[in-house]
Amino acid sequence: MTRTEPAGTALGDDFHLYDTTLRDGAQREGISYSVADKLAVARLLDELGVGFIEGGWPGALPKDTEFFARVAAGELQLKHAALVAFGSTRRAGVAAEEDQQVRALLDSRAPVVTLVAKSDRRHIERALRADVDEACAMVADTVTFLVSEGRRVFLDAEHFFDGYAFDPDTSLRVLDAGATAGADVLVLCDTNGGQLPLGIADTVREVRDRTGFRLGIHCQDDTSCAVANTVAAVQAGVTHVQCTANGYGERAGNADLFAVTGNLVTKLGMEVLPTGGAAELTRVSHALAEIANIAPYSHQAYVGASAFAHKAGLHASAIKVDPLLYNHIDPSSVGNDMRVLVTEMAGRASLELKGRELGVDLAGRPEALTSAVHKVKRLEAEGWSFEAADASLELLLRREVGGEQAEALAVPPFLLESYRVVLDHRADGVVSSEATVKVHVAGQRVIATAEGNGPVHALDAALRQALSPHLSWLDSVELADYKVRILPGHPGTDAVTRVLVETSDGEREWTTVGVHGNIVEASWLALCDALVHKSMRVDSPACV
Amino acid sequence: MTRTEPAGTALGDDFHLYDTTLRDGAQREGISYSVADKLAVARLLDELGVGFIEGGWPGALPKDTEFFARVAAGELQLKHAALVAFGSTRRAGVAAEEDQQVRALLDSRAPVVTLVAKSDRRHIERALRADVDEACAMVADTVTFLVSEGRRVFLDAEHFFDGYAFDPDTSLRVLDAGATAGADVLVLCDTNGGQLPLGIADTVREVRDRTGFRLGIHCQDDTSCAVANTVAAVQAGVTHVQCTANGYGERAGNADLFAVTGNLVTKLGMEVLPTGGAAELTRVSHALAEIANIAPYSHQAYVGASAFAHKAGLHASAIKVDPLLYNHIDPSSVGNDMRVLVTEMAGRASLELKGRELGVDLAGRPEALTSAVHKVKRLEAEGWSFEAADASLELLLRREVGGEQAEALAVPPFLLESYRVVLDHRADGVVSSEATVKVHVAGQRVIATAEGNGPVHALDAALRQALSPHLSWLDSVELADYKVRILPGHPGTDAVTRVLVETSDGEREWTTVGVHGNIVEASWLALCDALVHKSMRVDSPACV
């Protein structure tokens, strides 16, 4: 039987960065990878430079079987990583070589196999309904057989920490059965995720001292400590860490590959990725979120869009002088950027810094800066918020600065004359929304009417209908997200509505804001800013 | 000068569970609490039983100043917690008693003040532009003054861990200046969030041994270890932990109050909440997310909707027999539920319990309970959420149970025939909203038209105009709060809008929910439920 040769890692075998996004990560509620998705995930992980990619459980899940077959057929060429098949030890009472599930592991042609084995006596007795001798024999036989077939074998000792606390001898016997039969790494798994770092470190040290085996770690995040537990285990001597992209996994998830890697590289000074790999962490994290169809978590450590975002206020001037005083690392070392948020605490320094980030030069224009600060403060007091609406802020700053920085704004892509929206809840229970807009675009007055599932949707549809014959770029522009917040009025005033609109043209995304007592008008203001912002970036936006 | 007396904690002073959601949590991008929101957050945290609630920075932010003024005026009565004002030490070269910002801390009348002080020599020299002697004098003078005015003072030693690694003597001198002047707790802050648990534990032990001071901990989550770092600090001897609800905070956020509390209670066996408090963690976490208008994170440890959700598959039967083999704790101990994604069992027990709380007896009616569970599950899949909308849930349960428990619902206070809302943005720029309703009330068909500052306001005004001559209780009923969330559609469906309406009659407040593709219809559904709910509680609601 042939098999794919291990690619090995670019960094040798001393330390294993092992990814199980495609198997344990796929346990997350809502994730359902196609085989094409799995190939794309593996390609990205390999580009990043992880050492091992666990591709799935061949024989147990048809999609996983197909994934391994397509890799073996040459659809995926790994540069750095070795591919791993995950599976279980033989069933009780069956020879390993006759167990179909074990054979499927061989048939996958993956050079490495990770076997899961129960190592908590309670699970052996109650879930497996076997005794400890038989459980150890299942481990020993299966490892022996796979090693004899030329596979490298790792052993995932399931529920290890709970089991070791309950009955350490049983747990150590399971490890010993695996190691004696030829398993290379004994992976201690916190399957229920209930551990804390100091306890993990103590247990790892104790097991290492008692056995001398090469140890690995696999943590779930049920105490919100999976990353910390993984790093603590490394500090206590494990040389193999199992993670998933963005911490995807069952329940609270697994140890996040990006945070673990960020910590190992920037805090412990370990070279666990090939040169240039760390600077790819942010990009790969976001790309893997896209494939999983899960919005990237903006507050994720190291790689989140907000991971280095400061509400500047008091510290803005100090940040300007010395950003590293306020960041734990240089954001670019993990491929991320520092952002300064404009808030009601905004001062001159933070607005100038923000302008620089948005390409608007305020440094040499103290009057424009003063007037922009006043305008932002006044608008934020009225309920506007620019911290998430860079595109609206850029328009505001350009208008304040004037001159060539506002040139593109002199000719807006269209002008509104009026709109009307009619909402009906009819006597038969049907609810409908219809909008009519009257606009001036490309020298013409255009009237258009459209329906939508709500007032804003209808207005957006009518506006598009009016403009799209005249603005060639409009078709690529889509509303990507829409957020509404009702702001209670100050004493004596009415509540106002704040709308944030995120717009995409397939390449770029930008966010605009609108505030008004009327939610439809607030939405309209944000929609208009979104289109004006886009038109600044196209050659012939149109002429009114 | 008078001040509010400290409420003290139900658990004595040995250990401080200290919440800074309202100050440091509000630094999170996108959070913008109104004063009413701040009061609601404080009320929930106090119900949960935290010992200290940091309310904000009076004098620096107008909303925070107003918050403390309204608390001092009696709008908030704390049962467990002491209220804390946050602020800075005096400016360089100014006496503490003449520093306006320090005076604002006194004026807030909060019984406890937490002062932030730089404890990293680089920050003292480069950001503060002072020398270490002056920095220590600023600490000592300000603490001395506030203590002499009867305040309890905690000192937040900013950038402590980075500073201690760079120049331990400076950092210790700052602590010493605070302690000598009378600060009760010296809080070691990992302001840039770059620490790992084993390092935190070592530093805490070393500082404790060198100083003997009472120490606290404040961690940011930039290494994804804030919870672990906080717990490790407790294990190393701190007796004061600063957290924020759901980990809200700048950049990657702060240590999550709920995960930290979950760990301290269930892993370390510490009684850090009053009896029954731990079982409220899930409810309070979700309610605080609603107030922040941030979708609850379903994979959050302990309190997330998926924290105990199993893709049952292989382990289904074992989980059913012995769930604790597969959960790190009993989910009900933190007010959460296990969900096995293939069964319908989940929810029955909690819905029955919830019904009891709302006065609807489901215990003896298994069929009604089954049907209510199905209905709630179906509606929640469509985007409804009853977590914060008890009044709507009560109506739903009564309708399912029928019989005498639904008697009051048999005669609704009014029936809708139709409504129409017209929104105009006129050519002169004026924006107007007008609504017409046709309803049946007290045996009559009534048509009424009214204007409002937006579509929902106009609709509410028209409905009141139609009903108030016939429903004597309507005048006391007011819309107290209104929240909107746009929910992304499932694949192949449009987005829907969820509206939460809080209504008050001056004595009681109740919350209802409406979900629809059209925001106005969603609001209508919630408004109607609010009135039906009120009418159940009056003697003669009206007859249609």
Side-chain angles (χ1 to χ4, degrees):
Chain A
M1 181 169 291
T2 59
R3 64 183 179 89
T4 312
E5 281 305 310
T9 81
L11 302 162
D13 201 49
D14 291 347
F15 188 86
H16 295 174
L17 193 59
Y18 181 112
D19 180 275
T20 176
T21 305
L22 292 173
R23 202 268 310 166
D24 220 19
Q27 297 287 312
R28 173 171 160 142
E29 205 175 336
I31 287 188
S32 171
Y33 291 122
S34 67
V35 177
D37 288 339
K38 293 182 74 113
L39 291 164
V41 169
R43 212 166 274 128
L44 280 160
L45 290 167
D46 184 49
E47 280 176 26
L48 181 66
V50 307
F52 296 88
I53 298 172
E54 192 178 277
W57 191 332
L61 297 169
K63 275 197 292 198
D64 289 7
T65 308
E66 184 187 339
F67 167 79
F68 283 99
R70 286 170 64 175
V71 175
E75 272 198 63
L76 180 67
Q77 307 289 342
L78 296 175
K79 287 193 300 281
H80 300 112
L83 190 67
V84 183
F86 176 90
S88 179
T89 55
R90 69 163 174 82
R91 280 173 294 134
V94 179
E97 57 270 34
E98 280 159 23
D99 187 301
Q100 289 221 327
Q101 187 263 144
V102 175
R103 293 221 72 91
L105 295 171
L106 283 184
D107 293 344
S108 76
R109 296 166 66 193
V112 184
V113 173
T114 293
L115 287 176
V116 62
K118 298 201 184 299
S119 60
D120 177 330
R121 183 153 61 82
R122 293 164 298 187
H123 283 264
I124 290 170
E125 291 171 354
R126 289 189 231 163
L128 203 60
R129 292 180 193 174
D131 62 19
V132 176
D133 287 342
E134 173 63 4
C136 289
M138 288 159 67
V139 169
D141 292 353
T142 316
V143 173
T144 301
F145 172 65
L146 290 168
V147 169
S148 76
E149 293 284 334
R151 298 305 186 273
R152 184 175 192 183
V153 178
F154 302 149
L155 191 77
D156 271 6
E158 206 186 35
H159 296 286
F160 182 84
F161 292 92
D162 298 331
Y164 187 81
F166 176 72
D167 173 9
D169 288 344
T170 293
S171 303
L172 292 177
R173 279 186 62 197
V174 173
L175 296 189
D176 191 64
T180 304
D184 262 357
V185 181
L186 292 307
V187 184
L188 313 185
C189 299
D190 182 19
T191 309
N192 288 350
Q195 299 299 308
L196 299 174
L198 302 186
I200 288 267
D202 286 345
T203 302
V204 165
R205 263 190 297 266
E206 196 174 304
V207 172
R208 194 194 53 186
D209 292 348
R210 289 178 72 171
T211 66
F213 298 151
R214 179 173 191 171
L215 301 180
I217 188 80
H218 175 119
C219 294
Q220 301 290 134
D221 203 26
D222 299 76
T223 60
S224 204
C225 294
V227 169
N229 287 346
T230 303
V231 173
V234 172
Q235 291 174 298
V238 312
T239 56
H240 168 118
V241 297
Q242 297 193 352
C243 304
T244 66
N246 305 321
Y248 298 148
E250 196 174 36
R251 307 190 309 276
N254 289 47
D256 172 18
L257 174 71
F258 303 106
V260 168
T261 306
N263 285 331
L264 297 180
V265 171
T266 72
K267 303 302 172 189
L268 305 187
M270 295 172 64
E271 288 186 8
V272 301
L273 289 177
T275 308
E280 295 292 305
L281 287 170
T282 299
R283 179 183 70 84
V284 172
S285 163
H286 292 216
L288 291 173
E290 287 297 331
I291 296 171
N293 201 22
I294 289 173
Y297 181 55
S298 53
H299 299 274
Q300 195 173 349
Y302 291 100
V303 299
S306 298
F308 300 94
H310 297 265
K311 273 198 183 175
L314 290 161
H315 296 139
S317 51
I319 290 179
K320 214 164 75 176
V321 175
D322 207 344
L324 280 182
L325 282 180
Y326 294 91
N327 289 318
H328 69 120
I329 56 162
D330 175 358
S332 67
S333 68
V334 291
N336 210 338
D337 285 318
M338 184 171 86
R339 289 190 304 136
V340 176
L341 306 171
V342 174
T343 76
E344 51 197 315
M345 289 175 264
R348 292 178 68 85
S350 54
L351 207 57
E352 187 190 322
L353 209 63
K354 190 73 199 178
R356 199 186 303 165
E357 188 187 314
L358 296 173
V360 186
D361 181 18
L362 291 158
R365 321 220 181 189
E367 282 154 37
L369 181 56
T370 301
S371 127
V373 168
H374 286 156
K375 188 152 191 183
V376 168
K377 276 182 190 287
R378 182 173 59 73
L379 287 171
E380 294 212 328
E382 289 171 13
W384 294 70
S385 168
F386 294 98
E387 65 185 44
D390 277 359
S392 285
L393 183 64
E394 182 187 335
L395 294 179
L396 183 153
L397 294 180
R398 285 193 192 283
R399 284 177 188 129
E400 290 304 315
V401 173
E404 63 192 30
Q405 299 198 51
E407 215 165 65
L409 297 174
V411 189
F414 65 94
L415 285 178
L416 174 73
E417 182 182 312
S418 66
Y419 68 71
R420 163 171 292 188
V421 180
V422 180
L423 306 169
D424 268 311
H425 179 125
R426 295 192 330 221
D428 63 4
V430 172
V431 178
S432 68
S433 306
E434 180 191 289
T436 299
V437 298
K438 299 179 184 176
V439 295
H440 297 260
V441 58
Q444 296 177 43
R445 179 168 183 264
V446 183
I447 302 181
T449 297
E451 293 183 319
N453 62 1
V456 178
H457 187 218
L459 194 58
D460 184 53
L463 183 64
R464 284 170 174 279
Q465 192 176 310
L467 300 182
S468 66
H470 307 283
L471 303 176
S472 59
W473 45 264
L474 188 63
D475 283 349
S476 70
V477 173
E478 280 193 347
L479 197 150
D481 197 13
Y482 175 83
K483 288 199 170 74
V484 176
R485 176 108 163 101
I486 309 295
L487 306 168
H490 304 285
T493 67
D494 287 319
V496 296
T497 301
R498 179 166 71 215
V499 168
L500 286 173
V501 165
E502 191 181 309
T503 312
S504 165
D505 60 8
E507 288 170 11
R508 232 169 33 89
E509 290 180 346
W510 61 98
T511 302
T512 52
V513 57
V515 172
H516 197 273
N518 183 322
I519 186 176
V520 175
E521 179 68 10
S523 307
W524 171 262
L525 294 170
L527 287 173
C528 287
D529 259 13
L531 297 184
V532 172
H533 190 265
K534 169 68 184 179
S535 76
M536 280 193 336
R537 282 168 167 74
V538 292
D539 286 337
S540 5
C543 41
V544 175
Chain B
M1 180 171 288
T2 58
R3 64 183 179 89
T4 312
E5 281 306 310
T9 82
L11 301 163
D13 200 49
D14 291 347
F15 188 86
H16 294 174
L17 193 58
Y18 181 112
D19 180 275
T20 176
T21 305
L22 291 173
R23 202 267 311 166
D24 220 19
Q27 296 287 311
R28 171 167 162 147
E29 200 173 342
I31 287 189
S32 171
Y33 290 123
S34 67
V35 177
D37 287 339
K38 292 182 76 112
L39 291 164
V41 168
R43 212 165 276 128
L44 280 160
L45 290 167
D46 184 50
E47 279 176 25
L48 181 66
V50 307
F52 295 88
I53 298 172
E54 193 178 275
W57 190 334
L61 296 170
K63 276 196 293 201
D64 289 6
T65 309
E66 184 186 338
F67 168 78
F68 283 99
R70 286 171 63 175
V71 174
E75 272 198 61
L76 179 68
Q77 307 289 343
L78 296 175
K79 287 194 298 280
H80 300 111
L83 189 67
V84 184
F86 176 89
S88 180
T89 55
R90 69 160 172 83
R91 279 173 297 135
V94 178
E97 56 270 36
E98 279 159 24
D99 188 302
Q100 289 221 327
Q101 186 264 144
V102 176
R103 292 222 73 92
L105 294 171
L106 283 186
D107 293 345
S108 76
R109 296 167 66 192
V112 184
V113 173
T114 293
L115 288 175
V116 61
K118 297 199 184 301
S119 60
D120 177 330
R121 183 153 62 80
R122 293 163 299 186
H123 283 262
I124 290 170
E125 292 170 354
R126 288 189 232 164
L128 203 60
R129 291 178 196 175
D131 62 17
V132 176
D133 287 342
E134 173 64 4
C136 289
M138 286 159 67
V139 170
D141 293 353
T142 316
V143 174
T144 301
F145 172 64
L146 290 169
V147 169
S148 76
E149 293 283 335
R151 299 306 186 271
R152 184 174 193 185
V153 178
F154 302 150
L155 192 76
D156 271 6
E158 205 187 34
H159 296 286
F160 182 85
F161 292 92
D162 298 331
Y164 187 81
F166 175 72
D167 172 10
D169 288 343
T170 293
S171 303
L172 292 178
R173 278 187 60 196
V174 173
L175 296 189
D176 191 63
T180 304
D184 262 356
V185 182
L186 291 308
V187 184
L188 313 185
C189 300
D190 183 19
T191 309
N192 288 350
Q195 300 299 309
L196 299 174
L198 301 186
I200 288 267
D202 287 345
T203 302
V204 165
R205 261 191 298 266
E206 195 174 304
V207 171
R208 194 195 52 186
D209 292 347
R210 289 178 72 171
T211 66
F213 298 151
R214 178 173 192 171
L215 300 180
I217 188 80
H218 175 118
C219 294
Q220 301 290 133
D221 203 27
D222 300 75
T223 61
S224 205
C225 295
V227 169
N229 287 346
T230 303
V231 173
V234 172
Q235 291 174 299
V238 312
T239 56
H240 168 118
V241 298
Q242 298 192 352
C243 305
T244 65
N246 304 321
Y248 298 147
E250 196 174 36
R251 307 191 309 278
N254 289 46
D256 172 17
L257 175 70
F258 303 106
V260 167
T261 307
N263 285 331
L264 296 181
V265 171
T266 72
K267 303 301 171 188
L268 305 187
M270 295 172 63
E271 287 185 11
V272 301
L273 289 176
T275 307
E280 294 292 305
L281 288 170
T282 299
R283 179 184 72 85
V284 172
S285 163
H286 293 211
L288 291 173
E290 286 296 338
I291 295 171
N293 202 22
I294 290 173
Y297 181 56
S298 53
H299 300 274
Q300 193 172 351
Y302 290 100
V303 298
S306 298
F308 300 94
H310 296 264
K311 274 196 181 175
L314 289 160
H315 297 140
S317 53
I319 289 180
K320 224 161 66 177
V321 174
D322 208 344
L324 280 182
L325 282 181
Y326 294 90
N327 288 319
H328 70 118
I329 57 163
D330 175 357
S332 68
S333 69
V334 292
N336 210 337
D337 284 319
M338 184 170 83
R339 291 192 298 138
V340 175
L341 302 173
V342 291
T343 88
E344 295 285 356
M345 286 304 292
R348 281 183 78 86
S350 54
L351 207 59
E352 188 187 321
L353 211 62
K354 190 75 198 173
R356 200 182 309 162
E357 184 188 320
L358 297 172
V360 186
D361 181 17
L362 290 158
R365 321 220 180 186
E367 282 154 36
L369 182 55
T370 302
S371 131
V373 167
H374 286 157
K375 185 149 194 188
V376 167
K377 276 178 190 287
R378 182 174 59 74
L379 287 171
E380 295 210 325
E382 291 170 10
W384 294 70
S385 167
F386 294 98
E387 256 155 37
D390 277 358
S392 285
L393 183 62
E394 182 187 334
L395 293 180
L396 183 153
L397 294 180
R398 285 194 192 282
R399 286 178 188 128
E400 290 305 316
V401 173
E404 64 192 32
Q405 299 196 51
E407 214 165 66
L409 296 173
V411 189
F414 66 93
L415 284 178
L416 175 73
E417 181 181 315
S418 66
Y419 67 72
R420 162 170 293 187
V421 181
V422 180
L423 306 168
D424 268 310
H425 179 125
R426 296 193 327 222
D428 61 6
V430 171
V431 178
S432 69
S433 306
E434 182 190 289
T436 299
V437 298
K438 299 179 184 173
V439 295
H440 298 259
V441 59
Q444 296 176 44
R445 180 169 183 263
V446 183
I447 302 181
T449 297
E451 293 183 319
N453 63 359
V456 178
H457 187 215
L459 195 58
D460 184 52
L463 184 64
R464 284 171 175 279
Q465 193 176 309
L467 300 182
S468 67
H470 306 283
L471 303 177
S472 59
W473 46 266
L474 189 62
D475 283 348
S476 71
V477 173
E478 280 194 346
L479 197 150
D481 196 13
Y482 176 83
K483 286 200 167 70
V484 175
R485 174 157 314 137
I486 310 295
L487 306 168
H490 303 286
T493 66
D494 287 319
V496 296
T497 301
R498 179 165 74 216
V499 168
L500 286 173
V501 164
E502 191 180 310
T503 310
S504 166
D505 59 9
E507 287 170 14
R508 234 169 33 88
E509 292 179 345
W510 61 100
T511 302
T512 51
V513 58
V515 173
H516 197 271
N518 183 323
I519 185 175
V520 174
E521 178 69 10
S523 307
W524 171 262
L525 294 170
L527 286 174
C528 287
D529 260 12
L531 297 185
V532 172
H533 191 266
K534 168 69 185 178
S535 76
M536 280 191 340
R537 281 169 168 73
V538 291
D539 285 339
S540 2
C543 40
V544 175

